[in-house]
Amino acid sequence: MFLLALTGLSAVAQKTGPAQTSKPVAWPDPLVLESGAPVLTRERFEQQRRGELLSLFAENVYGKTPQATVPIAIVAAKVDEHALDGLAVRKQITLAVGSKGERTWHLLLYTPAHATGPVSVIVGLNFNGNQTVDPDPEIELNPVWVRDPALASTPLAKELSGHVLKIAESGTRGAAAQQWQLHLLLARGYGLATLYAGDIEPDFIGGIGYGVRPLLFGPKQSVPAADDWGAIGAWAWGMSRVVDVLSSDPHIDAKRLIAFGFSRFGKTALWAAAQDQRFALVLSNESGQGGATLSHRQEGEPIDHMMLAFPYWFCGNYQHYLGRTQSLPVDGHLLLSLIAPRPLYVGSAGSDPYSDPEGEFLAVKAVAPVYALYGEQGVTDTAMPPLNHPVGQWVSYHVRPGGHDVTLYDWEQYLNFADRVLGNK
């Protein structure tokens, strides 16, 4: 395999920036086939390299998405055309998943009430239930997975702990409202479709038994194969099933759907959009290792940490690279390459060293040659931008002050970008 040698760039000037590296790093080249042949045209990228990259990520990181399908049916839909004091139309859609309706998903959809035509909708998964995205008292309190109270005094990360399923508490309404900025999205003409990730697969070790993956096991199968999809693969698949539902709604512009994700769901959004080109734009917020940043730098969160703490996110084959990061045949810039030629925005935070902001910026820069094949300009700035200084046109990047979060500033940049590239005025 040919390698692309690049050098770490200058640090963010402000003291809130992460520690930087200046050592040379070798990364797989997005425009060189596994055979060593160069990719010089968009046709060759589409016909050969895209398939190679999808296979490499499926085999080594996220696992293979099953080709089989399961039935998904709308079994209930509750509509309020005057939600949020007339600002929005709110739809709460209950989906039965599986041939016998074994799983139940709860899709929450808001669209601007005064839209004059089909609207662009942002699709993203939430961490702790639909009721957390806004204080709206009419959002249904559905079941969510919470840490087993019997383990409250046990010093375990919640993902390693046992969990119980219970109806969400009313006190959690709007708990993550800042991260979603629903009223801003609606005022700017965008809709929001969100689904509790725990409906697709609970986010803890052992969650697989309650999720969608066993519904797609082969005959007599009881555990995942080494290259079967992990939770990120299942969540990404779930985002595509949301697209299936939205595409039949005449109030939604199915050609302007936006994949959004923060943290582990930033990884999810990238993998969903890599496989499903119905997503017209991708917003990756601090997706870090296993997402937009560069594992071969070995900065920020080690992939070894993810393998040990969150093994269920990935396929079993990912464990082969425990302590062998440099042997991993893919990296974040190759994942971003799979978004081309669609517009892409990556957001970082200066005080979030685990997500490796500089690595995310370098990955964004590294996909410029891929976008150039399509006549689109990537980020060409040689130095990492200062805080609060977005760069790029069709591919964009910013790093802001603060830590691991989604803020009003992030959403303002994402919506300005979407306005420009999707023509949503």
Side-chain angles (χ1 to χ4, degrees):
M1 181 189 302
F2 284 16
L3 295 179
L4 177 66
L6 298 177
T7 304
L9 302 181
S10 60
V12 176
Q14 289 80 347
K15 291 183 180 180
T16 54
Q20 308 295 321
T21 178
S22 58
K23 60 185 179 183
V25 193
W27 307 330
D29 192 322
L31 295 182
V32 175
L33 297 175
E34 287 292 283
S35 66
V39 177
L40 302 178
T41 66
R42 71 183 71 173
E43 290 78 16
R44 193 163 199 181
F45 185 83
E46 290 294 335
Q47 295 168 12
Q48 294 183 261
R49 188 56 167 157
R50 184 183 294 279
E52 275 192 352
L53 292 177
L54 286 169
S55 293
L56 285 169
F57 276 102
E59 292 168 4
N60 296 284
V61 183
Y62 304 118
K64 297 177 180 178
T65 302
Q67 296 303 302
T69 60
V70 296
I72 299 179
I74 296 175
V75 296
K78 183 178 179 181
V79 181
D80 184 348
E81 296 185 351
H82 304 283
L84 302 179
D85 297 323
L87 180 65
V89 176
R90 181 186 58 242
K91 296 182 181 179
Q92 301 188 82
I93 302 168
T94 304
L95 301 168
V97 181
S99 58
K100 299 178 181 178
E102 293 93 331
R103 305 290 184 262
T104 301
W105 297 359
H106 303 93
L107 176 62
L108 176 63
L109 171 64
Y110 286 94
T111 53
H114 302 294
T116 58
V119 300
S120 178
V121 172
I122 295 161
V123 180
L125 303 181
N126 64 73
F127 286 89
N128 295 306
N130 293 342
Q131 82 288 345
T132 63
V133 304
D134 191 80
D136 182 353
E138 298 303 317
I139 298 176
E140 295 174 345
L141 296 173
N142 298 311
V144 295
W145 291 94
V146 298
R147 184 175 179 176
D148 187 341
L151 299 176
S153 61
T154 303
L156 284 175
K158 64 181 179 65
E159 294 89 353
L160 303 177
S161 178
H163 285 65
V164 296
L165 188 65
K166 60 181 292 186
I167 297 296
E169 297 181 359
S170 60
T172 62
R173 291 190 183 278
Q178 174 187 286
Q179 294 183 346
W180 291 95
Q181 299 290 332
L182 175 60
H183 290 245
L184 174 66
L185 304 187
L186 293 166
R188 294 283 295 265
Y190 293 86
L192 172 66
T194 187
L195 182 72
Y196 170 49
D199 283 352
I200 305 169
E201 173 156 332
D203 188 11
F204 57 88
I205 290 178
I208 182 175
Y210 307 98
V212 72
R213 286 193 282 164
L215 302 184
L216 288 157
F217 275 172
K220 299 182 180 181
Q221 184 178 4
S222 58
V223 296
D227 60 355
D228 277 353
W229 55 347
I232 287 176
W235 293 328
W237 179 87
M239 288 183 67
S240 286
R241 304 293 71 79
V242 171
V243 171
D244 294 342
V245 174
L246 299 182
S247 296
S248 64
D249 189 326
H251 300 98
I252 293 172
D253 188 342
K255 295 182 178 180
R256 292 191 296 148
L257 297 176
I258 301 170
F260 164 75
F262 163 50
S263 193
R264 64 198 66 178
F265 299 143
K267 311 180 208 299
T268 299
L270 288 167
W271 183 230
Q275 299 173 92
D276 189 343
Q277 297 195 48
R278 292 177 297 174
F279 288 107
L281 183 158
V282 184
L283 307 172
S284 168
N285 192 94
E286 296 161 66
S287 58
Q289 299 287 358
T293 199
L294 296 163
S295 300
H296 286 79
R297 276 167 48 82
Q298 300 190 71
E299 299 286 337
E301 180 180 18
I303 64 171
D304 291 7
H305 175 265
M306 291 194 302
M307 292 178 190
L308 296 172
F310 315 113
Y312 60 95
W313 287 359
F314 307 97
C315 68
N317 283 339
Y318 198 42
Q319 298 291 325
H320 295 166
Y321 303 99
L322 185 66
R324 300 175 57 243
T325 301
Q326 293 300 332
S327 299
L328 186 67
V330 292
D331 215 327
H333 65 305
L334 301 186
L335 181 60
L336 300 186
S337 296
L338 288 167
I339 307 304
R342 293 162 292 167
L344 166 69
Y345 199 124
V346 173
S348 301
S351 297
D352 183 17
Y354 245 38
S355 292
D356 185 18
E358 187 188 21
E360 292 192 320
F361 173 68
L362 290 169
V364 169
K365 273 182 57 66
V367 299
V370 180
Y371 276 83
L373 292 180
Y374 296 89
E376 302 293 352
Q377 184 175 359
V379 171
T380 57
D381 300 61
T382 56
M384 187 168 177
L387 298 178
N388 293 345
H389 186 79
V391 294
Q393 294 297 315
W394 196 252
V395 178
S396 287
Y397 172 86
H398 75 248
V399 57
R400 57 156 174 81
H404 198 60
D405 203 353
V406 191
T407 69
L408 174 60
Y409 177 84
D410 293 317
W411 276 115
E412 288 173 339
Q413 311 320 307
Y414 298 152
L415 297 181
N416 290 343
F417 179 72
D419 283 352
R420 185 173 72 249
V421 300
L422 296 182
N424 189 35
K425 300 295 183 181

